[in-house]
Amino acid sequence: MFALSRPAFLCFILATAGVVVGEDVRSAYTAPGTFPTSVYESYWNDPTATSAQPQPVISDPATHSVFPELLTDPAHFPKNDTIDPHPLPTALQPSQLLQQAIGQIKSVASNPVLDTCAKCQSSFTIAKMLVLAAPEQGPLLAEAICVYFNYSSTCYNEYSKLALGSVFTQVVALGDMSGYDGQLICARLLSLCPVPPTVPLNMTGWFAKPKPNPLPPPKQPSGERLKVLHVSDIHIDPRYATGYEANCTVYLCCRENVWNAASPDRVVLPAPRYGSYLCDTPMSLMLAAMQAIPVLTETEGTGFNFSLFTGDLTAHDPDNQYSRYVFLVVVYGLLKKYVGPAPVYATLGNHDTYMQHQMIPYYLGGPLGNQFNWLYEHVSSLWYHDGWLPMNSVEYARTHYAAYSVKRPDGLRIISLDTDMCMNSLLNYFSYVNATAPDPFGILRWVTDELQLAEDAGERAWIIGHVISGWDGTQAQLNPTNLCRCLVDRYSPHVIASKYFVDIFYGHNHEDQFSVFYANNASVMNTETALAVSWISPSLTPLTNLNSGFRMYEVDSATFEVLDAYTWISRVDEFPSLDNQTDVGPTYFLEYSAREAYGGNITWGTNDPLNATWWHLVTEEMETNTTLGQTFRKYQSKSSVKAIPCNETCLTASICYMRSGSASLAYENCPRGYGST
């Protein structure tokens, strides 16, 4: 082996290639300074110039065509072939788009690489593209996916264009299906994603004024007591059929054409005339309650000072069976007849609209944003006709989700709003659109302004609504209730009467419950930080597995603080014995007084209000006295024989719910699964 230098190695290579290296071979060549113009016949520019590259005229010998000048021009040379691009796929008809969307969703669902959350959000993203391109296909997609995944045995009834299909289409088109909105839908409606966290609030500029410091001096009690009735969740059922199956396999029971799957040809439990545990309220039970109320509350000659109705007057019908108007008229008429003549301050429940549960933000504008105004216009007209509201409140309500504010002659301000705005769990689908916003409907902005007006005028305010803001965190969206919590902190205790706040009088859950709000995001929970308490009223309907009930508050006429609350119930398990006779109907009786039932071991003045401080002391007593906790659970079901036993873990969870004024806190802090009896 030997080594060659680079010059020697080069000569070796050239020699072996047959090239003679010697004196006759030049080592360099210099090209002429002018372009060889003879190479091409013609040019687009002067090829001998020194400031630009030559642009020859080039012809294609195969096609005998001359290429355009720009193909030799460096300043304008095209980036794409604009003459003969590759063809695009043929546009599909809407029905073909639907089939493609169904196929893609099925493919996503069977992809083993994706987790359930990714599958769900990807499927909603596919649906969004379809409904934006062909909105009329949205209901058909909803039906097809319902059938494919076997979500229901009545997919057409639930998801046709005449039912939830149109709502599904709107929500998917409007929402951010790949982001927070889509994840929230997949979490709350389908349990396929983790629930996204509460979005941090930016309260800069939200309040017109800082909280007064020091607070105004408290109003002095008058010693005079007002009587205020609270009725909720009547759910009157015009299809209730005596003698039909009351223990059906698929509810709503006590109707024709329902049966128990174990005995499809024979009624297992005949529906009693006055109601049953798996059924809504028959007309006979509604009238029995209306007759009992004046007698039991001792208001036969005087009537109430005023009353509250916190929503849900229609039955739990499938979407395609709802009536728009008739039972608004029936229920309001009966309330006026039996609990008047003083006003009944009402709010809308999630079952009081068509489609049920739905409420859409006005900011969408046009027919889409105003599609529920027919309801707001009609219901506010009924409130005016019955003498419950003045015209100025009605004018606002008819174009603002049936929300209103009214100052009573005694000085109390009543603020009512439709809390469907923050419903979740298969309910108001529009609350999943723009779900990162704490006030997507703009209604909490209005509530804030009303409370500021009350503060400026030195007034006290009660706020009524249907859907609860707290308890176990399953009923309301996290972000709106987080904002509600901030409003509580700002305006309690000097504006909101009795240290209560947003929707302080609730319904919806059918059970007898309460939740306390605390200052500073409940970082410390004690008697000093307790700000507000929400009263969650028992329902008149027995559904589900509950007794029928209603409540009356005794309220100081100057401070508007609740001094006691009395709850009356009727035992539904006794209703079968009332059939086939007309001597007696249901018996309503006093179940308990809140002060007597919970305050036995609490040092509290006879005329001191049952405010947030008192209710916090009740929760402390329950921590050491399990008997009191069990008493609460008994009353939660209205003493139903169907109530589920509550163990130590259940009682601990219940106390956590009692201390959670907002869904965001309940979801963050409390065990799940013990919210209902």
Side-chain angles (χ1 to χ4, degrees):
M1 295 295 294
F2 60 93
L4 297 175
S5 65
R6 179 174 291 182
F9 179 71
L10 178 60
C11 290
F12 172 77
I13 294 299
L14 294 175
T16 56
V19 179
V20 178
V21 180
E23 296 179 357
D24 294 333
V25 177
R26 296 180 181 179
S27 60
Y29 173 79
T30 301
T34 59
F35 184 80
T37 57
S38 61
V39 175
Y40 295 98
E41 292 185 0
S42 59
Y43 295 83
W44 297 106
N45 66 349
D46 180 2
T48 64
T50 60
S51 61
Q53 290 293 311
Q55 294 178 238
V57 177
I58 303 173
S59 61
D60 187 331
T63 63
H64 305 293
S65 61
V66 176
F67 293 110
E69 177 184 1
L70 59 81
L71 292 181
T72 63
D73 183 357
H76 301 95
F77 200 93
K79 295 180 176 63
N80 301 99
D81 183 353
T82 59
I83 304 301
D84 55 349
H86 294 291
L88 296 173
T90 302
L92 298 180
Q93 295 298 312
S95 60
Q96 294 172 307
L97 290 174
L98 171 63
Q99 295 307 314
Q100 286 290 321
I102 293 172
Q104 287 297 294
I105 291 174
K106 291 179 179 179
S107 179
V108 166
S110 62
N111 189 334
V113 177
L114 301 176
D115 62 25
T116 59
C117 188
K119 290 178 180 180
C120 184
Q121 286 199 261
S122 297
S123 297
F124 273 109
T125 301
I126 294 168
K128 182 180 180 74
M129 294 301 102
L130 172 68
V131 300
L132 289 175
E136 74 281 0
Q137 301 300 312
L140 299 176
L141 176 65
E143 291 175 42
I145 297 305
C146 173
V147 171
Y148 179 73
F149 289 106
N150 195 28
Y151 286 146
S152 172
S153 60
T154 57
C155 290
Y156 173 78
N157 286 342
E158 294 183 44
Y159 292 104
S160 73
K161 181 180 179 181
L162 299 178
L164 284 174
S166 55
V167 172
F168 163 85
T169 301
Q170 292 182 43
V171 171
V172 171
L174 295 169
D176 179 9
M177 294 298 104
S178 297
Y180 191 99
D181 296 352
Q183 183 179 347
L184 190 61
I185 291 174
C186 291
R188 292 293 201 181
L189 273 61
L190 301 170
S191 300
L192 296 175
C193 284
V195 174
T198 304
V199 176
L201 282 172
N202 179 5
M203 300 300 292
T204 302
W206 184 267
F207 299 114
K209 299 177 183 178
K211 189 170 185 173
N213 186 16
L215 293 176
K219 291 182 179 293
Q220 295 304 306
S222 67
E224 177 189 358
R225 296 195 176 200
L226 308 178
K227 288 187 175 182
V228 179
L229 177 70
H230 187 180
V231 180
S232 194
D233 295 85
I234 293 173
H235 290 291
I236 193 167
D237 186 6
R239 296 181 175 88
Y240 190 99
T242 303
Y244 284 84
E245 186 59 68
N247 186 24
C248 63
T249 301
V250 179
Y251 97 134
L252 198 58
C253 301
C254 301
R255 292 179 166 191
E256 296 185 15
N257 301 317
V258 297
W259 59 89
N260 188 306
S263 178
D265 299 322
R266 183 179 61 85
V267 173
V268 175
L269 179 64
R273 183 160 51 111
Y274 288 103
S276 190
Y277 281 122
L278 296 179
C279 310
D280 267 329
T281 306
M283 180 65 80
S284 55
L285 179 60
M286 170 75 178
L287 267 296
M290 291 297 102
Q291 290 172 310
I293 286 172
V295 177
L296 293 174
T297 59
E298 299 180 350
T299 57
E300 290 175 282
T302 61
F304 295 96
N305 293 93
F306 61 92
S307 298
L308 308 177
F309 173 57
T310 47
D312 273 9
L313 48 82
T314 62
H316 292 77
D317 281 316
D319 292 296
N320 62 317
Q321 294 182 8
Y322 264 77
S323 168
R324 280 195 170 196
Y325 297 112
V326 62
F327 291 102
L328 291 170
V329 176
V330 170
V331 172
Y332 290 152
L334 290 174
L335 288 173
K336 179 176 175 62
K337 179 179 179 66
Y338 283 96
V339 307
V344 176
Y345 299 112
T347 190
L348 289 180
N350 57 295
H351 288 279
D352 296 338
T353 185
Y354 185 87
M355 303 294 290
Q356 60 177 323
H357 318 308
Q358 307 312 311
M359 173 183 178
I360 194 168
Y362 277 129
Y363 71 77
L364 295 171
L368 195 64
N370 295 320
Q371 62 187 286
F372 293 103
N373 268 12
W374 65 267
L375 171 65
Y376 309 142
E377 292 171 359
H378 184 72
V379 73
S380 58
S381 296
L382 290 175
W383 294 338
Y384 178 73
H385 175 269
D386 289 335
W388 297 346
L389 290 182
M391 181 53 70
N392 62 331
S393 298
V394 168
E395 288 296 335
Y396 187 87
R398 67 177 62 220
T399 56
H400 291 84
Y401 313 110
Y404 62 84
S405 175
V406 58
K407 183 177 178 180
R408 288 178 40 77
D410 55 19
L412 176 65
R413 180 169 295 276
I414 304 288
I415 300 173
S416 172
L417 66 156
D418 183 352
T419 48
D420 282 4
M421 63 179 179
C422 59
M423 289 194 71
N424 62 32
S425 184
L426 298 175
L427 297 171
N428 182 13
Y429 294 103
F430 292 108
S431 71
Y432 294 93
V433 177
N434 194 20
T436 56
D439 187 25
F441 292 83
I443 198 70
L444 294 180
R445 173 71 269 165
W446 170 76
V447 171
T448 306
D449 294 341
E450 287 296 313
L451 290 173
Q452 186 61 56
L453 291 173
E455 177 180 274
D456 293 343
E459 299 171 354
R460 291 297 186 96
W462 279 11
I463 302 178
I464 63 173
H466 179 71
V467 180
I468 62 174
S469 63
W471 190 241
D472 65 348
T474 61
Q475 299 298 327
Q477 300 288 27
L478 304 184
N479 294 321
T481 63
N482 195 32
L483 177 57
C484 288
R485 174 191 56 77
C486 290
L487 302 190
V488 172
D489 202 343
R490 167 61 182 83
Y491 290 102
S492 293
H494 59 296
V495 173
I496 300 143
S498 198
K499 299 179 77 173
Y500 308 135
F501 186 61
V502 170
D503 311 328
I504 64 173
F505 297 100
Y506 285 127
H508 185 61
N509 276 13
H510 293 197
E511 298 180 343
D512 186 343
Q513 302 162 342
F514 69 92
S515 284
V516 180
F517 290 86
Y518 297 87
N520 301 319
N521 200 27
S523 55
V524 176
M525 299 181 185
N526 58 32
T527 56
E528 297 299 319
T529 62
L531 292 177
V533 63
S534 58
W535 298 83
I536 304 168
S537 175
S539 64
L540 196 70
T541 182
L543 193 74
T544 56
N545 288 327
L546 304 166
N547 286 323
S548 175
F550 57 86
R551 173 179 288 157
M552 184 189 75
Y553 305 101
E554 287 187 336
V555 178
D556 185 88
S557 64
T559 65
F560 303 108
E561 293 176 320
V562 174
L563 303 176
D564 206 347
Y566 303 91
T567 300
W568 287 271
I569 64 169
S570 186
R571 300 187 61 91
V572 176
D573 56 305
E574 296 178 353
F575 288 178
S577 65
L578 303 177
D579 285 348
N580 303 316
Q581 58 84 43
T582 57
D583 293 335
V584 295
T587 297
Y588 280 87
F589 61 92
L590 179 66
E591 183 186 28
Y592 75 100
S593 147
R595 181 181 290 271
E596 292 179 3
Y598 297 121
N601 293 326
I602 298 174
T603 302
W604 209 251
T606 303
N607 292 312
D608 289 342
L610 307 189
N611 57 22
T613 302
W614 187 82
W615 282 108
H616 176 79
L617 290 173
V618 171
T619 66
E620 287 187 348
E621 180 67 16
M622 289 181 185
E623 287 179 317
T624 59
N625 182 355
T626 58
T627 300
L628 188 63
Q630 293 291 0
T631 297
F632 170 82
R633 289 288 295 193
K634 172 187 175 183
Y635 293 154
Q636 184 178 342
S637 71
K638 293 167 279 183
S639 301
S640 172
V641 296
K642 297 284 189 177
I644 301 170
C646 188
N647 58 22
E648 183 178 351
T649 302
C650 167
L651 290 176
T652 300
S654 295
I655 294 171
C656 188
Y657 303 153
M658 297 172 198
R659 294 173 175 174
S660 298
S662 71
S664 58
L665 288 177
Y667 196 83
E668 179 181 347
N669 298 330
C670 302
R672 295 174 181 81
Y674 301 96
S676 178
T677 59

